[in-house]
């Protein structure tokens, strides 16, 4: 019977004339996850208006240094920086089979008097590479801002829970106690290291500048009749007009693709930190100690209505895994650039640079959202602590009994026997840990019976966790938050869709 309904159904596709507005692949990073802020940085509007600004900067600097360029030509260029006819540019590109020349002619159509001097002396990489660097710089600024926001929110969580004892885990097995706030500082320390790397890249990112076809500046030397000083000054002026005080000293046709590798490595570092943090949160959610934000009408599972899955943290880990895969692509691209340049760098860079930043921006938005709404269930945390604490307290109990005159070896053996028995009850019978009850009823430990409860106070087993949190926040985090306070006042433009 069911087969009859499928006799004329094409299970492998659909007719060409249906759903015509939805037959084109949409990249989920853009359509589903990307924020408006980061998308704008890598948008065609940003890219091609920056090309025009670079052409204006070049022409203005060339005029300053004596080339025959008029104020009227520069004004026409300035007046049409944002007047881009993309359809016309595509027509020109189809005609010339060259994207840069397509936009040169589209610019010249609206700035007719300037057409003869647009792109004067430049090569395609003048606009292409310099625009890439400008986009990277703006994207790093946004990443830096959101790292600061994340640190600011996590600081509040760490401060609030700095003295809440919790089980530490090594090998994902119960270990010495730490505190909820101290664990949070481990996440923060990683992100603080990422902030420092981002800041370094921002402070040291060089512009390609005005270098010419193979990096020799030969065309510009010709334009200025062999005047080396003017060629050098041209480079300084253009970089300065575009907001850079550093530029690559030497280049081939492009800036060294090692810069891309360094940038993507920084983004990978952020992804690693985020994955570590959200991996911990996912494990803690399983223990029911912590929950990430959960919307009123959010559905955790289409089948299991009771579930509260850590979907935000899972998304972070998923995107982070992708970002961590990108640096090898940049490394291979750099290593395979022959001599002054080969074009096999182009297609992959169009993908990995924007997508690396888009993904990290989404990751940081999610971290802010998770940290801001993270819920701690202290009674569950305490329950888990008290299930394991009796075993951890045995050394303290042993020392106190010895100080009261007991025999260390006899006491040690008694504790071993009681511990094995209590462990058998927990694992074999599924009952609570009764080690303290066993010790409380054993005359060998009579010296500490009246203070046994004090000896198993969890706060005695957290070492300097509280003080470490306070010192870390004071010495490491607060100086950054004070320096970057402007970022703490910003609101994230996009919400988080779950």
């Amino acid at each position: 019977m069911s087969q009859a309904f499928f006799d004329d159904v094409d299970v492998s596709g659909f007719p060409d004339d249906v759903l015509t507005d939805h037959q084109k692949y949409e990249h989920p990073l853009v359509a589903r996850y990307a924020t408006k802020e980061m998308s704008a940085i890598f948008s065609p509007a940003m890219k091609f208006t920056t090309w025009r600004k670079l052409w204006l900067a070049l022409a203005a600097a060339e005029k300053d240094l004596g080339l025959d360029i008029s104020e009227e030509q520069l004004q026409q260029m300035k007046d049409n920086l944002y007047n881009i006819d993309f359809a016309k540019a595509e027509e020109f590109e189809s005609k010339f089979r060259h994207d840069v020349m397509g936009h040169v002619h589209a610019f010249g159509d609206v700035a007719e008097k300037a057409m003869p001097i647009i792109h004067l002396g430049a090569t395609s990489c003048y606009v292409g590479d310099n625009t890439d660097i400008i986009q990277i710089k703006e994207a790093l600024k946004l990443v830096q801002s959101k790292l600061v926001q994340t640190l600011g929110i996590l600081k509040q969580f760490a401060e609030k829970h700095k003295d809440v004892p919790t089980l530490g885990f090594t090998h994902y097995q119960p270990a010495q106690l730490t505190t909820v706030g101290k664990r949070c500082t481990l996440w923060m320390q990683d992100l603080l290291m990422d902030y420092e790397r981002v800041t370094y890249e921002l402070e040291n990112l060089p512009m390609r500048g005005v270098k010419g076809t193979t990096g020799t500046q030969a065309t510009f030397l010709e334009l200025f009749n062999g005047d080396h000083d003017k060629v050098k000054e041209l480079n300084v002026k253009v970089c300065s007009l575009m907001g850079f005080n550093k530029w690559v000293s030497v280049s081939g046709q492009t800036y060294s693709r090692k810069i891309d590798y360094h940038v993507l490595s920084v983004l990978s570092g952020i992804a690693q930190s985020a994955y570590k943090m959200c991996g911990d949160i996912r494990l803690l959610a399983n223990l029911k100690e912590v929950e990430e934000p959960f919307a009123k009408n959010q559905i955790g599972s289409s089948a299991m209505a009771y579930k509260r899955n850590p979907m935000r943290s899972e998304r972070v880990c998923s995107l982070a895994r992708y970002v961590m895969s990108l640096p090898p692509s940049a490394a291979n691209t750099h290593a395979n650039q022959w001599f002054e340049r080969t074009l096999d760098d182009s297609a992959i860079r169009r993908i990995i640079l924007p997508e690396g930043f888009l993904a990290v921006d989404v990751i940081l938005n999610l971290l802010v959202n998770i940290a801001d709404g993270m819920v701690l269930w202290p009674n569950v945390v305490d329950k888990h602590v008290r299930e394991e604490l009796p075993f951890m307290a045995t050394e303290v109990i042993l020392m106190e009994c010895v100080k009261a005159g007991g025999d260390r070896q006899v006491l040690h053996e008694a504790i071993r026997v009681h511990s094995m028995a209590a462990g058998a009850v927990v694992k074999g019978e599924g009952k609570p840990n009764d080690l303290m009850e066993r010790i409380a009823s054993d005359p060998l430990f009579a010296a500490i019976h009246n203070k046994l409860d004090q000896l198993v106070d969890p706060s005695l087993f957290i070492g300097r966790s509280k003080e470490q949190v306070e010192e870390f926040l004071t010495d490491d985090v607060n100086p950054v938050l004070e320096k970057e306070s402007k970022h703490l006042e910003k609101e994230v433009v996009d919400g988080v869709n779950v």
Side-chain angles (χ1 to χ4, degrees):
M1 180 65 178
S2 60
Q3 183 60 46
F5 289 100
F6 273 81
D7 286 340
D8 57 352
V9 174
D10 179 5
V11 296
S12 63
F14 54 86
D16 292 339
D17 59 347
V18 303
L19 307 173
T20 54
D21 292 336
H22 300 277
Q23 291 188 11
K24 187 177 180 180
Y25 172 74
E26 291 185 350
H27 197 305
L29 193 54
V30 177
R32 184 173 176 85
Y33 303 128
T35 68
K36 295 183 181 73
E37 300 160 292
M38 193 63 82
S39 292
I41 291 172
F42 291 98
S43 67
M46 176 69 172
K47 177 178 179 177
F48 295 114
T49 59
T50 302
W51 282 17
R52 292 192 174 189
K53 292 170 188 176
L54 284 161
W55 282 322
L56 176 60
L58 179 62
E62 288 173 335
K63 174 179 171 55
D64 284 349
L65 294 169
L67 294 192
D68 185 15
I69 296 172
S70 70
E71 294 280 349
E72 185 180 14
Q73 287 174 313
L74 295 179
Q75 191 61 51
Q76 275 200 357
M77 294 174 74
K78 182 177 180 180
D79 290 343
N80 289 283
L81 289 175
Y82 307 110
N83 180 22
I84 299 179
D85 186 335
F86 283 96
K88 180 67 71 173
E90 288 179 7
E91 287 180 21
F92 282 124
E93 182 177 346
S94 297
K95 177 181 178 180
F96 299 119
R97 307 301 299 170
H98 198 287
D99 58 346
V100 173
M101 290 310 298
H103 276 271
V104 166
H105 282 265
F107 198 10
D109 264 11
V110 295
E112 294 181 3
K113 292 187 182 298
M115 181 59 182
I117 53 91
I118 294 173
H119 200 65
L120 181 59
T123 184
S124 297
C125 283
Y126 168 69
V127 287
D129 270 32
N130 283 320
T131 293
D132 288 343
I133 289 290
I134 289 166
Q135 289 175 304
I136 288 170
K137 180 181 179 181
E138 294 306 310
L140 283 171
K141 287 180 182 177
L142 185 56
V143 168
Q144 183 191 56
S145 175
K146 294 190 177 183
L147 276 171
V148 171
Q149 292 173 354
T150 306
L151 286 167
I153 293 172
L154 286 173
K155 175 197 168 182
Q156 298 172 29
F157 186 86
E159 178 69 33
K160 181 177 180 180
H161 303 296
K162 62 186 177 184
D163 55 359
V164 177
T166 189
L167 275 179
F169 290 96
T170 58
H171 313 274
Y172 199 40
Q173 301 300 312
Q176 271 194 347
L177 299 190
T178 182
T179 67
V180 174
K182 171 63 192 300
R183 178 175 287 142
C184 180
T185 64
L186 301 183
W187 307 333
M188 295 176 70
Q189 180 174 241
D190 286 348
L191 292 168
L192 193 59
M193 293 166 65
D194 297 323
Y195 162 81
E196 291 166 353
R197 288 288 310 279
V198 168
T199 301
Y200 175 85
E201 291 297 332
L202 275 171
E203 291 175 351
N204 291 278
L205 187 69
M207 192 169 171
R208 174 189 177 272
V210 182
K211 291 293 190 286
T213 305
T214 58
T216 66
Q217 298 176 307
T219 304
F220 295 105
L221 195 62
E222 179 70 24
L223 276 174
F224 289 103
N225 300 314
D227 191 328
H228 288 262
D229 289 337
K230 282 191 174 181
V231 174
K232 290 167 64 178
E233 191 174 352
L234 176 70
N235 183 69
V236 174
K237 280 181 173 288
V238 168
C239 292
S240 178
L241 287 169
M242 297 306 296
F244 283 79
N245 57 15
K246 293 188 178 183
W247 45 85
V248 295
S249 298
V250 294
S251 76
Q253 187 172 95
T254 70
Y255 67 77
S256 171
R257 297 314 186 207
K258 202 173 193 71
I259 292 175
D260 297 342
Y261 172 76
H262 286 160
V263 169
L264 285 169
S265 294
V266 171
L267 299 184
S268 172
I270 296 170
Q272 294 160 34
S273 302
Y275 199 116
K276 157 67 172 147
M277 171 180 163
C278 289
D280 285 354
I281 290 171
R282 291 165 66 188
L283 293 170
L284 291 170
N286 174 260
L287 297 174
K288 296 181 173 58
E289 292 188 5
V290 164
E291 285 179 356
E292 64 177 35
F294 200 85
K296 179 181 178 181
N297 296 313
Q298 182 177 329
I299 295 174
S301 167
S302 61
M304 295 166 280
Y306 59 87
K307 294 198 76 178
R308 292 172 67 99
N309 298 328
M311 295 169 64
R312 291 168 172 83
S313 294
E314 289 173 317
R315 181 176 297 175
V316 167
C317 293
S318 184
L319 291 171
R321 193 177 302 131
Y322 174 65
V323 176
M324 288 186 284
S325 75
L326 298 180
S329 295
N332 281 306
T333 298
H334 170 61
N336 283 284
Q337 285 299 287
W338 302 342
F339 303 111
E340 280 64 52
R341 194 265 174 99
T342 57
L343 196 60
D344 61 354
D345 65 338
S346 179
I348 192 167
R349 293 178 67 255
R350 291 173 189 260
I351 297 170
I352 61 177
L353 285 171
E355 290 188 2
F357 277 107
L358 288 164
V360 164
D361 188 47
V362 177
I363 286 169
L364 290 173
N365 265 21
L366 286 164
L367 289 191
V368 168
N369 179 267
I370 292 167
D372 194 37
M374 190 155 53
V375 177
L376 177 74
W377 297 109
N379 290 336
V380 178
V381 173
D382 185 65
K383 173 177 177 290
H384 292 154
V385 166
R386 293 191 180 280
E387 287 173 350
E388 301 294 338
L389 190 57
F391 297 124
M392 299 176 194
T394 54
E395 187 172 0
V396 175
I397 292 170
L398 178 62
M399 293 301 103
E400 289 295 317
C401 288
V402 170
K403 285 193 289 185
D407 183 315
R408 191 266 179 197
Q409 310 310 330
V410 172
L411 291 165
H412 184 278
E413 177 60 16
I415 288 175
R416 187 190 69 80
V417 171
H418 288 318
S419 296
M420 294 301 105
V425 168
V426 172
K427 297 174 184 177
E429 301 177 32
K431 293 180 180 179
N433 189 330
D434 64 355
L435 178 57
M436 288 301 103
E437 286 82 355
R438 293 174 184 271
I439 289 175
S441 62
D442 188 334
L444 280 172
F445 299 93
I448 52 88
H449 282 170
N450 63 341
K451 57 179 180 179
L452 190 57
D453 288 343
Q454 299 172 31
L455 296 179
V456 291
D457 179 352
S459 65
L460 300 176
F461 296 86
I462 60 173
R464 296 191 68 252
S465 293
K466 175 184 175 183
E467 291 76 16
Q468 286 181 348
V469 171
E470 293 171 343
E471 292 162 5
F472 174 69
L473 296 181
T474 299
D475 297 342
D476 297 78
V477 177
N478 287 347
V480 170
L481 297 183
E482 290 167 8
K483 175 186 174 185
E484 306 287 0
S485 60
K486 61 184 181 294
H487 297 309
L488 299 175
E489 299 164 4
K490 295 180 181 178
E491 290 187 12
V492 176
V493 171
D494 296 76
V496 173
N497 297 317
V498 178

